[in-house]
């Protein structure tokens, strides 16, 4: 097996950013995002979890965001990813979870990110946003 080229890695990170932001902005369903993730190899799923955890950190999630995101995700509050994201401060080792928990972790991370990102868009970006990721075109697949 060959390692992906750096161009392939950049393309994949951009695809991840697009998918996650489409979910956060309601342009793609969480279930469609889960299907996308599920089609990836476990190593790619780990890469996605690392990226989404980074997005959550950049969004400065709060404990309230964690609780709201877990409720929105459809994941039990007692699941490992739910507990990790609701800790104060949140734990971000989602890529290190067993592969059987990758989908659960994705659901939690994306949902929490969506809560925090929505708050940020409503408070700071309304009408004068310069963030490219807040200008997603409508998704073609729901």
């Amino acid at each position: 097996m060959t390692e992906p080229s750096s161009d392939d890695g950049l393309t994949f990170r951009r695809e991840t950013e697009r998918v996650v932001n489409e979910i956060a902005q309601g342009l793609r369903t969480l279930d469609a995002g889960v299907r996308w993730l599920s089609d990836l190899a476990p190593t790619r799923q780990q890469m996605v979890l690392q990226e989404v955890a980074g997005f959550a950190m950049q969004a400065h999630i709060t404990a309230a965001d964690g609780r709201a995101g877990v409720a929105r995700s459809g994941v039990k509050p007692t699941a490992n990813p739910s507990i990790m994201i609701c800790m104060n401060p949140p734990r971000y080792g989602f890529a290190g979870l067993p592969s059987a928990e990758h989908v659960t972790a994705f659901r939690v991370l994306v949902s929490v990110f969506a809560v925090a990102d929505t708050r940020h868009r409503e408070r700071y970006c309304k009408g004068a946003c310069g963030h490219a990721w807040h200008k997603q075109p409508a998704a073609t697949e729901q």
Side-chain angles (χ1 to χ4, degrees):
M1 265 191 156
T2 60
E3 289 294 314
S5 70
S6 61
D7 286 343
D8 181 48
L10 178 60
T11 300
F12 183 67
R13 283 193 307 278
R14 285 186 178 150
E15 179 182 8
T16 299
E17 179 181 335
R18 180 181 51 79
V19 169
V20 169
N21 278 289
E22 286 175 356
I23 295 167
Q25 295 172 39
L27 302 172
R28 180 185 297 244
T29 66
L30 182 56
D31 288 339
V34 166
R35 285 191 300 275
W36 170 80
L37 180 82
S38 296
D39 287 342
L40 301 175
T43 54
R44 288 285 182 151
Q45 291 180 6
Q46 288 176 308
M47 292 169 64
V48 168
L49 294 176
Q50 287 175 321
E51 287 289 313
V52 182
F55 299 161
M57 286 189 329
Q58 289 175 342
H60 304 287
I61 63 170
T62 65
D65 295 337
R67 290 187 300 276
V70 168
R72 176 189 242 189
S73 73
V75 174
K76 291 180 183 179
T78 56
N80 285 334
S82 299
I83 293 168
M84 291 168 66
I85 205 71
C86 290
M87 294 177 103
N88 190 12
R91 303 296 184 265
Y92 290 103
F94 297 94
L97 290 170
S99 61
E101 293 189 68
H102 286 175
V103 167
T104 307
F106 180 80
R107 292 184 73 87
V108 167
L109 278 171
V110 172
S111 296
V112 172
F113 170 71
V115 169
D117 191 58
T118 298
R119 182 186 66 248
H120 191 273
R121 277 185 281 120
E122 289 172 355
R123 284 190 187 164
Y124 305 111
C125 293
K126 206 165 206 152
C129 181
H131 300 121
W133 56 89
H134 286 162
K135 296 175 178 68
Q136 296 293 319
T140 57
E141 176 191 282
Q142 293 290 319

